[in-house]
Amino acid sequence: EIERQLQIARKIFKQQQYMYKMNVHKVEDRIVSWWREYVRPIKRGKPGRDVEFGPKVALSHINGFTFLDEFSHENYSEARKDIVEKQINNYEEKFGKRPPALIGDQLYGNQANRKMLKEKNIRQAFKRLGRKGKDSKVQEQYIRRKQRERNRIEGAIGNTKEHYGLRAIRYHYADGSEMWVRLGLLGANLKIALARVS
């Protein structure tokens, strides 16, 4: 443990020395926590919380249940095509068929994802790209309805943070963080399942 802390100390020193000598404020894989050196800063741009620290996850919300599809301490874009494909594959593994539709933030509605969803014959509920055009009234209503459904995941995330320990991860090692999140989601899903059978 002492040897590991010394290695981290050396890396922190080298990173700080590099930034000082090069007169920069960024360095690759910058260590921001002595005890959790795997944590990376995540630029959020939210009022009062410009930067967050901790894991980044991609979640699927299906019929009231929340599933973890991707977990990483790196600052990645959750709307990447490979992440969305992984979510679709996870759905297929669980339910034996492709999802009928995919709903997400407008961020997910990039050209690569739209093309991939079209090829897989999965309906999407994103506003059109480019100049504002006229969607059919039916399409506009569909998008509004699906985006209201999408808001349910925000409630599910808030619930797991408030009642299932996801606001603060207590397992302070890299693999333990994912275990903590998975156990929190499992607890929330089990409560929903029990409520439905009772």
Side-chain angles (χ1 to χ4, degrees), residues 35-36 38-39 55 71 73 165 168-184:
W35 302 106
R36 287 189 276 179
Y38 49 85
V39 170
F71 181 100
H73 287 285
I169 293 170
R170 304 283 183 213
Y171 289 173
H172 298 308
Y173 55 97
D175 293 339
S177 300
E178 183 172 350
M179 189 190 305
W180 184 273
V181 171
R182 287 192 182 277
L183 287 172

Side-chain angles (χ1 to χ4, degrees), residues 47-68:
R49 191 177 281 184
D50 192 41
V51 177
E52 291 180 350
F53 302 92
K56 207 168 183 186
V57 300
L59 301 170
S60 293
H61 192 67
I62 303 160
N63 196 22
F65 297 101
T66 308
F67 301 98
L68 179 65

Side-chain angles (χ1 to χ4, degrees), residues 1-17 31 33-35 37:
E1 181 64 26
I2 293 170
E3 180 59 35
R4 179 174 157 272
Q5 293 302 317
L6 285 170
Q7 286 174 358
I8 294 166
R10 288 187 199 103
K11 191 168 181 182
I12 291 170
F13 177 78
K14 284 179 181 174
Q15 287 180 345
Q16 295 298 319
Q17 188 180 49
I31 296 174
S33 169
W34 187 293
W35 302 106
E37 77 282 357

Side-chain angles (χ1 to χ4, degrees), residues 8-29:
I8 294 166
R10 288 187 199 103
K11 191 168 181 182
I12 291 170
F13 177 78
K14 284 179 181 174
Q15 287 180 345
Q16 295 298 319
Q17 188 180 49
Y18 170 82
M19 288 190 290
Y20 175 75
K21 284 183 176 177
M22 302 303 289
N23 195 26
V24 294
H25 300 288
K26 285 184 180 179
V27 65
E28 193 176 337
D29 292 334

Side-chain angles (χ1 to χ4, degrees), residues 40-127:
R40 299 288 170 260
I42 299 168
K43 187 89 169 161
R44 299 300 296 237
K46 292 179 181 176
R49 191 177 281 184
D50 192 41
V51 177
E52 291 180 350
F53 302 92
K56 207 168 183 186
V57 300
L59 301 170
S60 293
H61 192 67
I62 303 160
N63 196 22
F65 297 101
T66 308
F67 301 98
L68 179 65
D69 294 309
E70 181 70 16
F71 181 100
S72 177
H73 287 285
E74 299 302 321
N75 189 5
Y76 67 92
S77 169
E78 56 268 52
R80 274 182 0 216
K81 182 173 170 270
D82 63 312
I83 302 288
V84 176
E85 279 185 310
K86 186 176 182 181
Q87 291 181 289
I88 292 166
N89 292 337
N90 287 349
Y91 184 99
E92 284 188 80
E93 281 179 28
K94 286 182 185 82
F95 303 104
K97 60 181 180 179
R98 285 183 180 161
L102 185 134
I103 319 157
D105 291 336
Q106 195 61 21
L107 177 74
Y108 282 80
N110 58 46
Q111 287 181 341
N113 285 339
R114 286 171 194 252
K115 185 181 176 194
M116 180 259 297
L117 292 170
K118 191 172 183 180
E119 287 167 359
K120 291 180 181 288
N121 201 26
I122 298 171
R123 200 165 177 193
Q124 50 87 7
F126 303 113
K127 292 176 185 170

Side-chain angles (χ1 to χ4, degrees), residues 144-187:
R144 277 200 299 271
R145 189 175 77 249
K146 287 297 180 184
Q147 286 301 324
R148 280 197 300 271
E149 284 180 28
R150 191 204 70 80
N151 292 339
R152 293 174 192 163
I153 197 167
E154 301 296 339
I157 291 167
N159 179 49
T160 54
K161 283 183 175 181
E162 194 64 34
H163 302 289
Y164 296 92
L166 266 61
R167 190 174 301 282
I169 293 170
R170 304 283 183 213
Y171 289 173
H172 298 308
Y173 55 97
D175 293 339
S177 300
E178 183 172 350
M179 189 190 305
W180 184 273
V181 171
R182 287 192 182 277
L183 287 172
L185 292 173
L186 177 65

